Amino acid sequence: MVPDLTMRGQDDPHGRAVTARPPTVGQLAGRVRDLAGRPGEWWWLVGFDAERPVHVRLDDRVWLTTWPPGHGGTIHGQVSTLIAGELAEVTITPDGVTERPLRANRVRVHGGRRALTNPGPAFAVSLHAGAAAPSEATPPNGRQPL
């Protein structure tokens, strides 16, 4: 008798159920950095609305946000990067309110909910990744960029 040496499954040769795990913060940061370096794949999705930020879902865990001048909001993502324009991170602590400008093309890891605001005169564009895209995020117009 010859033993069966074929793999029954890619992840587990013993046929046990495999549980999908959410991506780590490092994997999310790598995904955001990779996407930021390939704007040709998603830049056409950037939407501009002078009344409110626009969130566009790129996949289950990554979304693009366009910030009109003078507007801000809470971001639930774990990882983000500023692509264009100006954004400031607003933090409220017992010592007061702190506003810190974000630098473009730097992937940032956040410890929780953060408020971002656009203090500049032009629209700002940022990429975010986290547990899930905001509920108000719109999917791409039937075209899958990624």
Side-chain angles (χ1 to χ4, degrees):
M1 172 181 247
V2 178
D4 180 12
L5 300 176
T6 62
M7 298 292 284
R8 292 190 185 112
Q10 291 280 353
D11 297 324
D12 187 0
H14 306 290
R16 295 177 290 212
V18 178
T19 304
R21 294 190 177 127
T24 65
V25 172
Q27 290 168 328
L28 291 172
R31 177 87 169 120
V32 166
R33 184 179 52 250
D34 182 49
L35 283 172
R38 296 182 287 122
E41 295 183 18
W42 50 265
W43 192 258
W44 56 272
L45 292 170
V46 173
F48 298 98
D49 183 348
E51 301 299 318
R52 63 179 179 83
V54 176
H55 307 285
V56 177
R57 198 175 319 156
L58 299 180
D59 65 27
D60 290 345
R61 302 197 186 278
V62 180
W63 65 96
L64 169 72
T65 302
T66 306
W67 305 88
H71 286 264
T74 303
I75 289 297
H76 306 277
Q78 297 169 307
V79 178
S80 67
T81 189
L82 174 63
I83 302 296
E86 297 178 47
L87 283 179
E89 180 180 51
V90 180
T91 307
I92 300 172
T93 65
D95 297 330
V97 177
T98 310
E99 186 172 310
R100 185 171 71 124
L102 299 182
R103 296 180 66 188
N105 301 318
R106 302 273 179 150
V107 176
R108 298 215 10 148
V109 176
H110 307 286
R113 299 173 99 183
R114 298 284 181 196
L116 297 179
T117 185
N118 180 356
F123 280 86
V125 178
S126 57
L127 281 170
H128 305 271
S135 58
E136 70 270 15
T138 57
N141 302 331
R143 294 172 52 190
Q144 191 57 264
L146 309 176

